[in-house]
Each structure stands twice: as structure tokens, then as C-alpha cells.
């Protein structure tokens, strides 16, 4: 069974640009969550999508947005990039929503903003 | 506000030297506590989920335990391949978000 895949794996952008990251969940998984990981702040929750609807959102500015498609694939967009957006962006999928569901993480997309 | 702390921040062990990692949490009601292992440059890998105080789970050289305020990840006779950052996360009863701790960076020397 294939795991969570994320594309691209590495990305370099300059300040002010925008970026779109993609996540394909494990087959049959309908919930996708996004996280930002930095050395200073650790892993921080961005948002969760289920059935093409955002169900939860972390404490990030509106420059961070996402969406989910009918096949459960998800994209995350960051507009007007700032240097502080440099991070490893991780997505995780689970079969359903709810506390009993285990999240499985992808390898991440490493974004560098210059 | 939910808080998760982990100690120690870093730990160096000799191969075969057993030890424990700590995860302390503050939530109004715990729905689940999760342990992950993360290797450099990779996403976290799921290890265990614990739901109630007194619960224990084991996998190879790892054993996770849970009390009302903290969880321990016991590593018995570790090997160099156990070197990684170990993360714990909690999910509150009334919430859906996972709150992660800062992690413990474990190095096992041969």
C-alpha cells in the first residue's frame, strides 16, 4: 500500500512569491492535515480537510490556504512568501476524522524562501 | 491552552543502555496521546496511540506508558538504528487538532 506522497520535495522561492504544495493521501484515506515544521517552533498544525471542506484551522495568517479535491488529494498555497515561511511542510492522512484515527505522514516538502 | 513538553531535549546513550523519554501534557481532557519517531529529512513515523491512564503498548525495544499527566517512552537495550527524534502529540477530548511537543533527540552510540 503506497504511503502519503508530497510534491515537490524541495522548493526554493523568493520573498513575495506564492507557492502551491501537493499531497496525495493513502488510498482510502479521506482526511488530510497540513503541518509546518521549523527548528524554532517545532510541528505546528495548519489546517485539516475532510470531504473537500476545511474542518479545522490552526493559528496561521490568511496567506496560508488550502483545498481538497474529490479524490481526497489536497493542495496548500502560501501567498506573499516571507523569509519565516522557510520550513518543512508535512501532510498527514487518516481514514476518517476523529480521535481514534491514526495520522500517517508524508515525507514533506522543504521550502526555502530567499 | 493545551501544552505538551518533552524531556530531555537531547539524550545520548551507549548501545544497550536503557533509558526513558518523558512527555508531559496539560489538556482539559485527553482523547489520545501519540508517539512518533522522526528521522532527519523525513516525516514522522507513527509508533503508538495511548488513550487512558494505565495503558501500555510495546513494539520491539520500545514501550509506551500513560498516566494522567504524562507519558513515558521506555527504550530497552537500544541500538544505533533507534537514533531519531521522538515526538509526542496529544488530542483533546473536544478538539480535533494534534498538539505536538518539541521532541527528544536520541542518539545511540555503537
Amino acid at each position: 500500500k503506497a504511503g502519503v506522497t508530497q510534491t515537490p520535495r524541495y522548493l526554493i522561492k523568493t520573498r513575495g512569491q506564492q507557492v502551491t504544495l501537493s499531497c496525495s493521501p493513502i488510498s482510502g484515506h479521506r482526511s488530510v492535515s497540513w503541518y509546518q515544521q521549523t527548528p524554532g517552533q517545532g510541528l505546528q498544525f495548519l489546517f485539516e480537510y475532510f470531504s473537500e471542506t476545511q474542518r479545522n484551522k490552526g493559528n496561521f495568517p490568511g496567506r496560508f490556504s488550502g483545498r481538497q479535491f474529490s479524490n481526497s488529494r489536497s493542495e496548500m498555497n502560501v501567498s506573499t512568501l516571507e523569509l519565516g515561511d522557510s520550513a518543512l511542510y508535512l501532510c498527514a492522512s487518516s481514514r476518517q476524522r476523529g480521535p481514534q484515527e491514526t495520522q500517517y505522514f508524508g515525507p514533506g516538502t522543504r521550502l526555502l524562501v530567499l | 491552552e493545551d501544552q505538551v513538553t518533552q524531556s530531555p531535549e537531547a539524550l545520548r546513550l551507549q548501545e544497550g543502555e536503557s533509558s526513558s523519554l518523558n512527555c508531559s501534557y496539560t489538556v482539559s481532557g485527553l482523547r489520545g496521546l501519540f508517539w512518533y519517531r522522526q528521522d532527519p529529512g523525513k516525516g514522522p513515523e507513527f509508533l503508538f496511540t495511548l488513550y487512558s491512564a494505565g495503558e501500555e503498548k510495546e513494539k520491539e525495544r520500545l514501550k509506551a506508558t500513560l498516566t494522567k499527566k504524562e507519558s513515558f517512552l521506555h527504550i530497552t537495550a537500544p541500538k544505533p538504528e533507534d537514533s531519531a527524534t521522538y515526538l509526542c502529540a496529544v488530542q483533546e477530548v473536544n478538539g480535533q487538532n494534534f498538539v505536538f511537543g518539541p521532541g527528544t533527540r536520541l542518539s545511540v552510540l555503537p
Side-chain angles (χ1 to χ4, degrees), chain A:
Chain A
K1 194 174 187 180
V4 178
T5 58
Q6 292 187 244
T7 58
R9 292 295 312 279
Y10 304 93
L11 206 50
I12 300 176
K13 292 285 187 179
T14 57
R15 280 185 300 172
Q17 286 187 310
Q18 73 166 15
V19 66
T20 298
L21 313 180
S22 179
C23 171
S24 293
I26 293 172
S27 178
H29 285 199
R30 297 172 61 195
S31 175
V32 173
S33 296
W34 288 90
Y35 294 83
Q36 180 195 68
Q37 187 173 35
T38 60
Q41 300 296 321
L43 256 172
Q44 293 184 285
F45 172 77
L46 279 158
F47 28 65
E48 178 204 4
Y49 284 87
F50 182 83
S51 293
E52 302 177 65
T53 302
Q54 187 180 93
R55 304 291 179 152
N56 251 316
K57 191 177 192 305
N59 189 26
F60 278 82
R63 300 185 296 108
F64 292 81
S65 63
R67 59 176 175 169
Q68 187 181 34
F69 302 94
S70 58
N71 61 358
S72 295
R73 190 177 70 84
S74 177
E75 287 183 347
M76 188 191 106
N77 183 273
V78 187
S79 62
T80 319
L81 284 166
E82 301 177 359
L83 295 178
D85 296 333
S86 294
L88 180 67
Y89 289 90
L90 294 158
C91 98
S93 75
S94 59
R95 289 179 304 164
Q96 301 286 343
R97 303 191 71 218
Q100 305 289 336
E101 296 295 326
T102 298
Q103 291 190 332
Y104 295 89
F105 283 82
T109 293
R110 187 164 295 282
L111 171 66
L112 177 61
V113 181
L114 302 176

Side-chain angles (χ1 to χ4, degrees), chain B residues 71-89:
Chain B
S71 176
F72 291 93
L73 184 65
H74 307 279
I75 303 177
T76 302
K79 298 181 177 181
E81 52 262 42
D82 295 323
S83 297
T85 295
Y86 290 84
L87 299 162
C88 77

